[in-house]
Amino acid sequence: MCYEDGLLVAYLDGEVDKPTRESIAAHVRICARCAAALNRLETERTTATDALTTLLAASAQESADAERTWRTYAAAPDRSEQTPAADPPAAGLLHRVGRGRIAVAAAVLAVAASLSFAPVRGFAADLLKVFRIQRVQTITLSDADMEQMSATLSRGEGHLDLKSLGDVWVEGARETTTVTLSQAQQKVGFPIVLPQGLDTEPRLELQPARTIKFKLNVDAVNELLTSYGSSETFPKTIDGKVFSVTMPAAVLATYADDTSGDDAAPYTSARAVVVAAQGRSPELAVPDGVNAAELRDVLISLPIIPESVRKQLSAVTDWEHTLIIPNVRGSARETTIEGVPAVVIAPPKPVDGTTPRTDRPARGAGVIWNQDGVVRGVGGTIDEDAAIRVAKTMIR
Amino acid sequence: MRERPVVVRDEREIVPSTSPSFRDVFLTYYPAVFRHLLYLSGDRQVAEDLTQETFTRLFQQADPDASQTLRNPRAWLLTVASNLAYNHFRNEKRRLDRERRPKLSVLPGGAAEAYDQMDDVLDVRGALATLEPRDRAVLLLRHSGFSYAEIADAVGLQTSSVGTTLARAQRRFRETYGRRERRK
């Protein structure tokens, strides 16, 4: 007997009783159709988990000032009288504004998102060559730039079957495992530096090394570029060649304010979290016979990129080894901490002409820097100053 | 509703006091309820309104006999909040259908949300907005850790139907969201 999707999803979610679980497990071993269905359902489920984790992370970063709301609420039904603006709550390093599990996911996402700039940045050699990030740098995006990019993108929309652009696949384990410091130390092969002065013990997790490989179908990509109005196209020589970005194993240390226990429930109460992440620089491998400088020129000349951004990108001198972080309305800036160049990432400033909200503290900030070939970062439900303070304890 | 005696807390504000246990429950669970609703709705204003509505329900419920409610207020509050969000989705769909507005208008709007839009949040919300209200609610609740029984409770389904709804929601979400991702 074959199973319908609903039951297979319940099986994946551990929501079926033991006899059903056992019959499904036995069945999918002998039924190719149900095994395939299970596989597809699992892929669909993973897509949803990955995407919705982003939302959970975003809402976990939001401030929720219960005291202040209570004053308004308890004064009901007369809500016309506004309570006076309260001072933001005293911001201890670990104030209660996040959920542990979610914030860790957020940190992982943030690191992954930053690293995803690597393919754009890295095309640079005539022969197979490996680049490592040696510095971080910001480029500034204005609101007008963002609008222009979004307008250009929507013009080119729908011209192509995007599956035909090429293949992207990932090699390496996905699972993050909890480890001890010495286990982590053995795996990564560089000195792990932990923040000092935080008043809780960290939970250490190891993210195994992963390689993202991609292969372009040049004709299809060029057709897409043309539909975006580009006059430059990729050379035929890169057709079917495999590019890869390797992210070496990384260690995440999570410091969570655990005073409000009840770990079993999905929604415990608010928690504050600081995450320190570190890993060797990602590497980009460009296949033999590819003129990477040419590729870079094509990418930079794409009409989707506004002129002001193009100038900044062209001005990145050591671009083979630079991690570029977009700066939207002051969200990222370059600085020096204890003599080491670093980028501070914080929520963007409000748009001109709008009133900044004073009823919530700044959202999570982070600092990222590169020292001796190791990219390290600190972030969490802390403000910029706190993030820099923590970073200092790691750089020294 | 019980009578709430007025007490002076400081010279600037005069607020009615309510049962200390209710105040404690509010202060303890407000952040969790608010963030849950923000996650579900993607809209700060909607989340604030629905959070207050959730606690109003608790307040109306919480007479001294209803100790059951207060024994596990968190679960109770999150279920009520989920149900309110689901109703909001349905009303929103009616409103959007009536006004024939693009579904994008349910995305978190306003300049202050630009930071969110920088992330994938916009894409995810856009894909979610194409789902039927029930599918969307079930999908969101499942991926924030609700059990099938809790989901059934919040959106008025049989527990045995949650899997089927979820399977459909995940398939459609992947169709829409996957397309958006590949377009990037």
Side-chain angles (χ1 to χ4, degrees):
Chain A
M1 182 197 84
C2 283
Y3 292 93
E4 53 165 352
D5 284 2
L7 207 51
L8 292 176
V9 163
Y11 168 75
L12 287 173
D13 284 340
E15 286 270 359
V16 294
D17 56 24
K18 193 159 176 257
T20 314
R21 187 169 67 240
E22 285 166 357
S23 3
I24 293 179
H27 179 75
V28 295
R29 276 198 292 271
I30 54 165
C31 173
R33 194 156 67 101
C34 284
L38 197 64
N39 210 8
R40 170 178 55 80
L41 291 166
E42 191 159 21
T43 308
E44 288 164 0
R45 190 176 75 142
T46 305
T47 303
T49 305
D50 291 350
L52 296 187
T53 302
T54 315
L55 295 192
L56 280 170
S59 34
Q61 298 294 325
E62 287 287 331
S63 64
D65 188 344
E67 280 282 358
R68 182 184 153 81
T69 314
W70 172 254
R71 286 199 295 276
T72 319
Y73 185 80
D78 183 13
R79 296 215 180 128
S80 58
E81 194 179 311
Q82 293 295 312
T83 46
D87 291 331
L93 199 54
L94 294 176
H95 57 276
R96 299 158 54 97
V97 275
R99 275 189 238 114
R101 186 170 63 84
I102 312 273
V104 173
V108 175
L109 282 172
V111 171
S114 317
L115 300 186
S116 69
F117 285 91
V120 180
R121 169 191 42 77
F123 302 106
D126 295 316
L127 297 170
L128 180 66
K129 188 167 169 185
V130 171
F131 302 112
R132 285 172 182 274
I133 290 174
Q134 289 170 357
R135 67 175 77 194
V136 285
Q137 188 168 342
T138 64
I139 61 162
T140 302
L141 294 173
S142 69
D143 287 341
D145 293 335
M146 305 275 286
E147 271 168 36
Q148 187 189 330
M149 289 165 78
S150 138
T152 314
L153 270 181
S154 53
R155 266 205 307 280
E157 204 169 22
H159 283 234
L160 261 179
D161 168 17
L162 292 154
K163 269 187 189 165
S164 64
L165 291 184
D167 291 328
V168 180
W169 66 100
V170 177
E171 293 175 1
R174 288 189 61 159
E175 283 77 24
T176 301
T177 49
T178 304
V179 290
T180 64
L181 184 57
S182 60
Q183 285 167 339
Q185 191 65 74
Q186 279 175 5
K187 290 279 185 188
V188 295
F190 61 83
I192 295 175
V193 182
L194 294 176
Q196 304 298 313
L198 297 179
D199 49 3
T200 55
E201 282 300 307
R203 187 174 44 136
L204 292 175
E205 287 167 303
L206 181 75
Q207 239 184 350
R210 295 174 64 183
T211 300
I212 299 169
K213 297 197 169 180
F214 54 99
K215 190 164 72 176
L216 298 179
N217 174 348
V218 172
D219 286 342
V221 173
N222 283 344
E223 193 184 326
L224 180 71
L225 294 182
T226 311
S227 84
Y228 284 143
S230 178
S231 55
E232 301 221 27
T233 52
F234 285 118
K236 284 277 192 190
T237 48
I238 66 166
D239 190 58
K241 296 243 166 83
V242 178
F243 293 73
S244 71
V245 178
T246 299
M247 303 192 195
V251 178
L252 296 176
T254 305
Y255 298 78
D257 171 16
D258 247 334
T259 51
S260 49
D262 191 12
D263 256 332
Y267 281 91
T268 38
S269 38
R271 277 190 191 169
V273 172
V274 172
V275 179
Q278 47 206 307
R280 279 206 189 282
S281 300
E283 297 172 357
L284 176 93
V286 175
D288 194 6
V290 169
N291 184 339
E294 192 182 349
L295 298 189
R296 185 221 184 202
D297 291 343
V298 173
L299 285 172
I300 288 188
S301 70
L302 289 180
I304 182 185
I305 298 176
E307 190 54 39
S308 62
V309 179
R310 192 182 342 268
K311 276 189 189 143
Q312 295 182 69
L313 285 173
S314 308
V316 176
T317 46
D318 187 20
W319 55 272
E320 299 95 324
H321 307 111
T322 304
L323 173 67
I324 293 172
I325 296 175
N327 169 22
V328 180
R329 234 180 287 129
S331 62
R333 64 180 172 83
E334 290 163 44
T335 185
T336 305
I337 300 175
E338 305 283 319
V340 175
V343 170
V344 178
I345 303 162
K349 295 186 176 69
V351 177
D352 288 346
T354 62
T355 316
R357 293 184 69 132
T358 52
D359 60 345
R360 49 173 161 165
R363 262 183 281 200
V367 180
I368 184 166
W369 68 96
N370 182 308
Q371 208 176 4
D372 306 326
V374 180
V375 179
R376 294 194 172 89
V378 173
T381 58
I382 51 176
D383 63 18
E384 192 177 314
D385 291 343
I388 292 174
R389 277 204 305 278
V390 178
K392 274 186 185 167
T393 70
M394 293 173 68
I395 290 174
R396 273 195 196 119
Chain B
M1 198 176 279
R2 278 164 298 157
E3 212 171 289
R4 296 184 290 175
V6 170
V7 296
V8 177
R9 277 179 47 172
D10 66 40
E11 64 261 33
R12 280 187 316 183
E13 55 176 337
I14 296 174
V15 296
S17 77
T18 56
S19 136
S21 67
F22 181 72
R23 180 176 182 275
D24 289 348
V25 166
F26 185 96
L27 293 182
T28 307
Y29 296 109
Y30 179 87
V33 173
F34 172 74
R35 293 197 183 101
H36 179 59
L37 283 164
L38 187 62
Y39 161 72
L40 293 176
S41 70
D43 184 314
R44 181 168 258 274
Q45 189 59 53
V46 169
E48 279 172 3
D49 291 350
L50 293 183
T51 306
Q52 298 219 349
E53 176 64 22
T54 304
F55 280 99
T56 301
R57 298 275 173 99
L58 178 68
F59 186 81
Q60 288 164 349
Q61 184 90 1
D63 57 69
D65 296 333
S67 56
Q68 200 57 41
T69 304
L70 285 175
R71 188 157 297 156
N72 191 351
R74 201 182 61 81
W76 189 92
L77 287 165
L78 290 176
T79 303
V80 169
S82 305
N83 181 256
L84 290 171
Y86 170 49
N87 288 335
H88 175 79
F89 291 169
R90 291 196 296 177
N91 293 334
E92 181 182 74
K93 180 175 183 334
R94 277 199 286 279
R95 196 172 64 243
L96 291 172
D97 287 349
R98 197 168 56 237
E99 299 171 10
R100 292 168 184 241
R101 281 163 59 194
K103 286 183 173 167
L104 279 182
S105 64
V106 302
L107 297 172
E113 303 306 325
Y115 187 60
D116 288 347
Q117 298 181 6
M118 270 299 290
D119 296 324
D120 296 334
V121 168
L122 190 79
D123 276 347
V124 180
R125 290 281 173 210
L128 285 171
T130 65
L131 299 181
E132 287 300 312
R134 200 197 298 267
D135 289 6
R136 195 191 332 168
V138 169
L139 184 69
L140 281 161
L141 291 173
R142 176 60 206 158
H143 290 277
S144 62
F146 276 52
S147 71
Y148 282 22
E150 289 166 334
I151 295 170
D153 205 16
V155 302
L157 275 174
Q158 295 290 323
T159 306
S160 57
S161 309
V162 171
T164 307
T165 310
L166 186 59
R168 179 178 60 229
Q170 285 176 170
R171 187 183 72 238
R172 294 198 174 145
F173 178 79
R174 184 159 201 272
E175 283 164 11
T176 313
Y177 180 66
R179 199 159 51 232
R180 285 162 188 269
E181 284 296 281
R182 282 194 296 274
R183 191 180 295 148
K184 274 183 182 173

